[in-house]
Amino acid sequence: MARTKSRTAFPLRDVVNTFQKAFTDAPAKVKVLDIYIGAALLTIVLQFAYASLVGTFPFNSFLAGVFCCAGSAVLTLCLRLQISSGQLDMPVDRAFVEYALAMVVLFLACFCYLG
Amino acid sequence: ERKRERERERERETKGRETIFSSSSSMKSSSQLFFLGLGLFLLACTATRVAAAGQIKEVKNIEARTFAYGGGKAELKDTSPIDAKKNGQAFKFETALHLTDESEIVVSLDLVLGGDLSSAKDFKPEQRLLTLTHSARKTKVARIVGDVKSHETEAGTLSIKFTVTSENLELQTGTMSGDYDAEVVVADTRFESSFKQKFGSIFVTHAQKSDGSIPSDPPLDAREFEYAPKPEFDHVMRQPEKRPPAFLSLVFTGATLCPLGLLLLVLLSSGANLKGMDSVFSALIFHSSIAVVLGIIFLYWLKMPLLKTLPILGTASAFAALSGYRHLKGIAKRKAS
């Protein structure tokens, strides 16, 4: 009874524990990618905090900053899925090179939009 | 019998063709006659014009005389000669011509004709105009037709006089006082060249009203209204957006760089290292080429134009792709061996 009560009362704690366990059990290379995704998401939060304080002017710069962080997080997540799935039909190094080229294109687009 | 029928049919066909051809030939001949007649008519017109050509040999004795009304008579007040050799250029008097309601200005000139017109009787140039254009409002133009008489003593010479009165001006331009630019034109289709000369300006003052006030200018007409300068207006610019204090922006700039620092710290604390990197040289080249590409993009954001950036970026990207391919190939070889 007490166990079920704690599970229904604190579902967030279970979610955090699950993530922590998965992170601890992940290989080192996958951990690096997870840390980078966390850093990108934290940057998005900081940018939103600034925009909520002082406004979104200039709006194009705000969007460029947020999309750059979100895009790089998504690309890193895709690379993580490719590596951790175990069904990769190409070498890991080649997947990383494709990831690097995609990031370059993303940064070029965001810098064009930055203003 | 069949042969006879065939022969009859052939005869009918040949007769039909002949009639068709004969009607087209008659059309041709009528059109030829028409164009021939038209050509003769045009030739007659040009021949007639060439036969009656004349020329202005000389224009002399141009002068503007001002007459003042006094005692019911017009008395000569001032005579201002005009130089005929100016030939189209504006001529300025030493003393200005002034026209009032109690005076009139008579511009006269003598035209010495040459060619067939010198002996022509009762010849009057088709166009003999003194044009007065208001200096400020160019749409207000008065035109005075000149009176033509044969010269009293010289044969083949015409005397033309233009009489300018304030009543005549009022009929054409209204009670509009001010400077009027004067120009004389004498022309005819039979002249080889025409005479056209500007000779300065005439200052016009119209009569006062019965209550002593100065007569007003006529209102603007449609042409003047359309092309008159529009009223000045001030542009209303959008107010600039309210910007935050610089200190706050700098604080948040530092805050957004903190995740990168945290990233390094967490990576180092979680045991990330570069010990597994083999073929350091080719890996360095590959990662450096990526850093160069990112640096070019950063420079583009700072100051470089796009068209200058793209070729440089293309070259650097190609080098990065090649170095990456080479590096991967080396890794694959080492793993295979």
Side-chain angles (χ1 to χ4, degrees):
Chain A
M1 275 302 267
R3 274 187 191 175
T4 53
K5 268 193 184 173
S6 67
R7 273 185 190 170
T8 52
F10 303 104
L12 188 61
R13 190 188 286 178
D14 288 338
V15 167
V16 171
N17 287 338
T18 310
F19 267 101
Q20 201 172 357
K21 189 171 179 299
F23 180 74
T24 315
D25 296 340
K29 288 185 179 178
V30 174
K31 269 186 193 173
V32 168
L33 297 178
D34 290 337
I35 292 164
Y36 179 78
I37 291 168
L41 293 175
L42 182 60
T43 311
I44 292 175
V45 168
L46 286 168
Q47 287 183 72
F48 263 99
Y50 177 76
S52 62
L53 276 175
V54 299
T56 56
F57 184 81
F59 195 57
N60 58 307
S61 305
F62 167 70
L63 286 180
V66 169
F67 287 162
C68 186
C69 298
S72 62
V74 165
L75 286 172
T76 313
L77 195 63
C78 292
L79 179 67
R80 191 198 188 279
L81 284 170
Q82 278 183 316
I83 292 170
S84 59
S85 65
Q87 294 171 1
L88 195 62
D89 55 350
M90 66 175 88
V92 173
D93 304 301
R94 192 178 153 189
F96 174 76
V97 169
E98 287 179 1
Y99 161 79
L101 289 173
M103 289 285 264
V104 165
V105 172
L106 172 70
F107 288 149
L108 176 64
C110 289
F111 269 90
C112 288
Y113 197 51
L114 206 56
Chain B
E1 285 180 359
R2 284 180 187 173
K3 282 185 184 177
R4 284 177 196 168
E5 283 179 4
R6 283 177 201 165
E7 283 175 4
R8 282 175 200 165
E9 282 177 8
R10 280 176 200 165
E11 281 175 8
R12 280 176 209 160
E13 281 178 11
T14 50
K15 276 183 186 173
R17 281 178 204 162
E18 279 174 6
T19 53
I20 289 165
F21 285 132
S22 65
S23 65
S24 68
S25 64
S26 68
M27 277 171 66
K28 279 185 188 174
S29 62
S30 63
S31 63
Q32 283 169 358
L33 276 173
F34 170 74
F35 283 115
L36 183 64
L38 183 65
L40 284 171
F41 171 72
L42 289 171
L43 187 64
C45 290
T46 51
T48 306
R49 181 176 291 183
V50 166
Q55 57 191 5
I56 301 174
K57 282 174 72 177
E58 191 187 353
V59 178
K60 59 184 183 181
N61 301 333
I62 312 175
E63 57 183 13
R65 290 180 290 174
T66 308
F67 291 85
Y69 298 132
K73 287 183 184 178
E75 297 170 1
L76 180 62
K77 191 178 163 189
D78 183 36
T79 302
S80 308
I82 300 165
D83 188 0
K85 291 174 189 172
K86 285 287 177 179
N87 199 20
Q89 294 174 12
F91 178 85
K92 287 187 180 176
F93 297 102
E94 289 177 1
T95 54
L97 291 176
H98 188 192
L99 179 74
T100 64
D101 59 308
E102 292 175 350
S103 68
E104 67 180 29
I105 292 176
V106 176
V107 178
S108 59
L109 55 96
D110 291 337
L111 209 69
V112 180
L113 298 174
D116 297 326
L117 294 174
S118 58
S119 54
K121 285 185 183 177
D122 299 328
F123 169 70
K124 286 185 182 178
E126 291 163 346
Q127 189 179 30
R128 45 192 194 274
L129 287 175
L130 171 66
T131 308
L132 295 170
T133 310
H134 197 269
S135 56
R137 287 174 64 175
K138 301 287 184 188
T139 56
K140 294 299 173 192
V141 179
R143 292 179 179 87
I144 293 110
V145 178
D147 299 322
V148 181
K149 276 194 298 188
S150 298
H151 199 270
E152 292 166 351
T153 52
E154 296 175 20
T157 305
L158 297 177
S159 295
I160 304 175
K161 278 186 189 174
F162 304 91
T163 307
V164 186
T165 59
S166 65
E167 287 84 15
N168 196 352
L169 277 182
E170 191 177 333
L171 280 173
Q172 297 189 53
T173 60
T175 53
M176 191 149 172
S177 303
D179 262 328
Y180 282 78
D181 299 324
E183 186 181 52
V184 167
V185 174
V186 179
D188 193 275
T189 51
R190 287 163 285 187
F191 287 160
E192 286 176 1
S193 60
S194 61
F195 173 75
K196 188 176 179 181
Q197 174 134 344
K198 293 180 185 177
F199 59 92
S201 61
I202 298 173
F203 187 76
V204 176
T205 311
H206 287 284
Q208 290 177 351
K209 291 181 187 173
S210 55
D211 59 357
S213 60
I214 298 168
S216 57
D217 291 343
L220 293 175
D221 58 18
R223 281 180 302 170
E224 288 173 304
F225 193 72
E226 192 175 338
Y227 296 108
K230 299 287 185 275
E232 290 288 331
F233 60 90
D234 294 323
H235 289 279
V236 178
M237 302 294 185
R238 190 176 64 176
Q239 294 300 319
E241 294 275 347
K242 199 179 166 187
R243 305 304 298 269
F247 174 72
L248 189 65
S249 302
L250 287 169
V251 163
F252 270 91
T253 305
T256 48
L257 289 172
C258 286
L260 283 175
L262 276 171
L263 174 74
L264 273 172
L265 284 172
V266 174
L267 282 174
L268 288 169
S269 63
S270 63
N273 54 62
L274 298 171
K275 289 174 189 173
M277 187 192 282
D278 50 355
S279 67
V280 176
F281 182 68
S282 65
L284 268 176
I285 289 174
F286 173 58
H287 289 288
S288 308
S289 61
I290 291 178
V292 164
V293 167
L294 292 174
I296 291 167
I297 293 169
F298 184 67
L299 274 177
Y300 160 70
W301 178 58
L302 278 182
K303 57 183 177 183
M304 279 194 347
L306 181 67
L307 289 177
K308 205 175 173 184
T309 308
L310 285 177
I312 302 169
L313 191 62
T315 314
S317 304
F319 180 74
L322 279 171
S323 63
Y325 171 73
R326 202 162 162 268
H327 181 58
L328 276 175
K329 203 175 169 184
I331 292 172
K333 265 187 187 174
R334 276 187 291 277
K335 281 185 180 174
S337 62

